[in-house]
Amino acid sequence: MTRQTHRLNGAGSRLDRSKPISFTFDGKRYSGYEGDTLASALLANGVRLVARSFKYHRPRGIFTCDPHEPSALVQLRSGARQEPNIPATMVELYDGLEATSQNRWPSLRYDLLSVNQLFSPFFAAGFYYKTFKWPAKFWTNLYEPVIRRAAGMGRLSGGIDPDTYEKIHHHCDILVIGGGGAGISAARAAAQSGARVTLVEEHARLGGFDSTGLEQDIAELEALENVRILPRTMVFGWYDNNTFGAVEQVSDHLPVPAAHQPRQRMWKIVAPQVILATGAHERSLVFGNNDRPGVMLASAAERYLRDYGVRTGSRAVIFTTNDSTTGLVKALGAAGVTVAAVADARNGDEIETVHGRTTVTGVTLRQKDGSRRTVDCDTVCVSGGWNPAVQLLAQRGQKPHWSENLQAFLPQEMAGADFLCTGSLVGLEAHEDCQTHGRIAGEAAGKRFAAPDSASLADYHNYLEASEQRAAKFAYFESSTGKSKKFIDLQHDVTAGDVSLATREGYRSVEHVKRYTTLGMATDQGKTSNIHGIAAMSKALDKPMSQVGTTGFRPPYRPVSLGALAGRSRGKHWRPILRTPLHGWVEDKGGVFIESGLWHRSQYFPKPGETMSQAISREVQAVRSAVGFCDVSTLGKIDLQGPDAAAFLDRVYSNGFAKLPVGKSRYGLMLREDGIVMDDGTVSRLAEDHYFITTTSAESDSVISHLEYCHQVLWPELDVVFADAGEDWAGIALAGPRARDVLARIAPEMDVSNAALPFLAARECTVLDGVPARLFRISFSGELAYEIYVPSPYGRPLAEALEREGAEFGITPYGVEALDVLRIEKGHVSSELNKFTTAADLGLGMLMSAKKDFIGRALSSRPGLTDPDREVVVGLKPLDPSHSFRQGAHITASGAPLAPENDDGYITSAAWSPTMESCIAIALVRRGRERLGEVVEIIDPLHGEDPVPATIVSHHFYDPENTRVRS
Amino acid sequence: MRIPCPLCGDRPLEEFIYRGDATLTRPAADAPMGAWVDYVYLRDNPKGPHREHWRHAQGCGGWLVVDRNTVTHEITQAIQARPGGEVQR
């Protein structure tokens, strides 16, 4: 373990020196203290080179003390928890932390790909667009893999994330974003109104850049009962109606999350009032080799000294445009660091270039008179002023405006009906200013809470205007001379030369230059660099900063892990599972489930040793020859009542219902207003003003929504009520020549004879000694069949009773596969209702009533839907019964070349029919009904199948006379 | 976005489904084909105030008439679509 060579004795307000911590970087063991970040601990150990840059593989060090660090990105942890591209500055140190450098080979110090620098003329702005234009196929095979390997970041483990993530909704009266001096004052003042205040802070603790002197305020704020503080929480997005997205890093500072704790928690916060105190980001300056390890933001150097007791070197040069570095000069002196020179741009001094290969060894200073001198140093502290963190406001569509006095982009609107801004976000600098204005903002928010629209913002605005008028910041961004590379965007390796080249090539808009050069498009979104790109454009185009403007900002403010966005919705929790009342029974029977929408439906019931197709054929044969039963609980069910119920049905179904007698069921076809079929099902009239409707399983929700629209919006005058009864009833189809015998056993008090209970009869009755039931003699299989509905809890007892009572008749449970084979044999449409077909296409044109208006009537007569060339439902049978085809296969006329214009349709349903002893299919075929008997070719090139000759036949393969259902 | 459902109160966007223009009237049964085509297909795409139908699908199930600014997403009114639904909160 190495010694912490750069740690100062005693200093470091955030450290707990009684708790040493051991960690590794690139496999080497180091030590730090509790309270350190990975960055501060690396610096304390004298580690300066921590990364290689994205494009040129240049050596990079630690540049900031904040999460928007552009350079020091590392790969954190190992195994399934490995996470790439994490700024070392935001990683709180924990014992056993493992970090590795990324984007280097074979090692950080000797990175062979740093030869990329030698080819930098090729990597200039827009090099992708220029170099890899053609041939197009080279992109996926050659260019992209090579570029990805060379210009990479870290790597994911590829393993499954072992941690959990949570989501939480939070409502408060006033949300304060940012826990620096201004945010603390604002929250305290706002809380005095009695409002529920939530303060969100990105860092682990409150206090902002310098918490010195704020200890008392923080303690008092924490003691307030109506204030909730969320540390380690980053607001990444501001959405409509003051809805905010935030991520809390619950456990990222721990080796592994504590038991029952998530790694991160996604907060969705709704607050009628928000105070933005998001602060400001210190900006760098543009000069030669300004990316060398050892070049660092001045405020970062100051914070490493004060908060972490780390001096980053022993000889420092300061390069500044403003007064914020005066404290640093004193602090460096106190820490024993020699300040070798201060280059103050206001005096005409500047750093021309930095010397050293993997670390700073000196600088060339250029003085006002043009003279140069070289100064030895190991640290360069840079301050180019401050950029207010306007990103959240810009997400709301604000275009930040340029303040000449402050030399910064400020919020366009400092206040709105539902938000206020304070602190360095609005250009304030001094602690006292931030705290005073924070208090004013907090009081205003409190007044708005107590009485909306009551608060005067005169003090609020006057304070800001006076402050801006007093300011006289010096305009300086880039050193005027020097030949070395001058970096603007450290993370994407975009230089001043790239921006200049882009403007010479004709790019004028800041948005275009951004995309052409990739400036500001890295994970830090250019928080330290965008301004310099704008300044370079301003210079090159000779346009003021205000006219160049900023690029837009979109969420997230900072990268958000996909895990946090997914929350608990992963794996089997990705979406809910719907189980029917018979689910447990099916499990006990050894039934196999298939996912169908959200439902888990019984697919088939294999016997020992049976294959799937054997089981399906056995189930089908049982229904055809004896009796079977099938869970149909997934069908949508609607209970409709009211004096106008018949009129309502007449308007929503294409066929008529006014004359449906009580005690009868009828098939119903529902269209969309554009004439396309929406759904089908059955309608049963239980009483004069009482109907029971079934819909398909897939469309049950949309049908309910549609009927609600019809009722609430189109025809509110109709006196009907209806309820979604889908979950109330378990449904079982009982089908087969012996179905009546089984029904007689479970409903012994009912006359089940063909005369008393004919085809399409509908009854309310009791089964199983008193269980209320709804019984409909309807058939999907083509056999004598009943649908029996009982209250959901009785679903399983009914299944058990059917199995028991039907045993002597050979009863067999069947799943949706057999159900599908049976309906294809019978020629009932199902998957043919594919949102492209009309009633006529489906062979159901007779269900289009001419006697009434109904949804879809008018537009179903338009030419496109009545074209005789349309594809219509027919059946297909292969000439050779041993041939088979699949759903999705296409149809061409026999001998027609394989070309799109010869496409005559496609197969919508296909199955092996044990009854026909052949593969059969239902298909949509152009002019199909005129082509019965024609031999066509079934083509399925996607599956690599040879064309199969087949005959077009009626899709009513089984019992076309429909005698069995009536028997 | 949040929609003030007149029955359920201020609720988040995810609970609602969108339908579109609420100012259209379903043509009479004998209306010419052109009227039907306009009703089903022809829509303006206004920038600014828009009166539209939303359903509180994950709440009361009610169809609402919502006055929304398509630029700012400001909602100035949300009432039930059915007559007598002008209950406002």
Side-chain angles (χ1 to χ4, degrees), chain A residues 287-315:
Chain A
F287 50 97
N289 293 336
N290 58 344
D291 63 326
R292 284 284 182 253
V295 180
M296 177 182 281
L297 291 177
S299 67
E302 190 175 346
R303 286 157 71 193
Y304 283 122
L305 274 174
R306 184 188 60 228
D307 297 344
Y308 303 100
V310 172
R311 60 184 176 88
T312 54
S314 52
R315 263 178 82 82

Side-chain angles (χ1 to χ4, degrees), chain B residues 6 78-88:
Chain B
I79 60 169
Q80 292 187 74
R82 69 174 82 202
E86 292 82 10
V87 191
Q88 215 188 323

Side-chain angles (χ1 to χ4, degrees), chain A residues 97-326:
Chain A
L97 179 145
E98 293 171 79
T100 49
S101 58
Q102 50 190 38
N103 199 31
R104 81 289 188 268
W105 187 83
S107 76
L108 189 55
R109 192 154 289 276
Y110 305 103
D111 181 358
L112 291 179
L113 286 169
S114 60
V115 297
N116 277 7
Q117 294 181 71
L118 304 178
F119 300 109
S120 63
F122 300 106
F123 293 138
F127 93 102
Y128 289 98
Y129 306 116
K130 292 166 184 164
T131 314
F132 304 113
K133 262 188 172 155
W134 55 269
K137 65 178 177 190
F138 275 31
W139 244 115
T140 43
N141 299 329
L142 180 65
Y143 297 149
E144 191 180 331
V146 169
I147 292 167
R148 285 219 182 275
R149 204 174 309 137
M153 306 283 272
R155 296 199 195 288
L156 289 165
S157 70
I160 292 172
D161 188 340
D163 294 326
T164 56
Y165 300 81
E166 281 182 359
K167 290 188 182 183
I168 188 167
H169 287 243
H170 179 65
H171 292 256
C172 58
D173 299 314
I174 299 169
L175 174 68
V176 181
I177 303 175
I184 292 167
S185 296
R188 286 187 67 196
Q192 281 173 6
S193 65
R196 293 170 304 155
V197 176
T198 297
L199 173 66
V200 181
E201 167 54 44
E202 185 176 18
H203 291 87
R205 56 178 89 188
L206 303 186
F209 275 130
D210 186 358
S211 59
T212 316
L214 291 175
E215 297 81 0
Q216 180 71 19
D217 297 84
I218 293 170
E220 285 176 22
L221 183 68
E222 285 171 343
L224 293 175
E225 283 200 349
N226 56 335
V227 174
R228 176 162 196 171
I229 298 171
L230 296 176
R232 295 191 179 101
T233 306
M234 183 263 302
V235 175
F236 63 81
W238 182 3
Y239 304 93
D240 290 318
N241 303 103
N242 270 15
T243 303
F244 298 85
V247 173
E248 180 186 3
Q249 295 189 283
V250 181
S251 309
D252 284 310
H253 61 294
L254 303 171
V256 292
H260 316 301
Q261 284 293 311
R263 179 187 163 215
Q264 295 179 350
R265 185 176 286 132
M266 170 78 75
W267 289 77
K268 187 169 169 182
I269 304 173
V270 179
Q273 286 294 325
V274 60
I275 299 172
L276 291 118
T278 50
H281 306 127
E282 191 170 27
R283 59 200 191 210
S284 179
L285 288 169
V286 182
F287 50 97
N289 293 336
N290 58 344
D291 63 326
R292 284 284 182 253
V295 180
M296 177 182 281
L297 291 177
S299 67
E302 190 175 346
R303 286 157 71 193
Y304 283 122
L305 274 174
R306 184 188 60 228
D307 297 344
Y308 303 100
V310 172
R311 60 184 176 88
T312 54
S314 52
R315 263 178 82 82
V317 170
I318 294 171
F319 188 12
T320 186
T321 65
N322 59 78
D323 288 333
S324 69
T325 46
T326 44

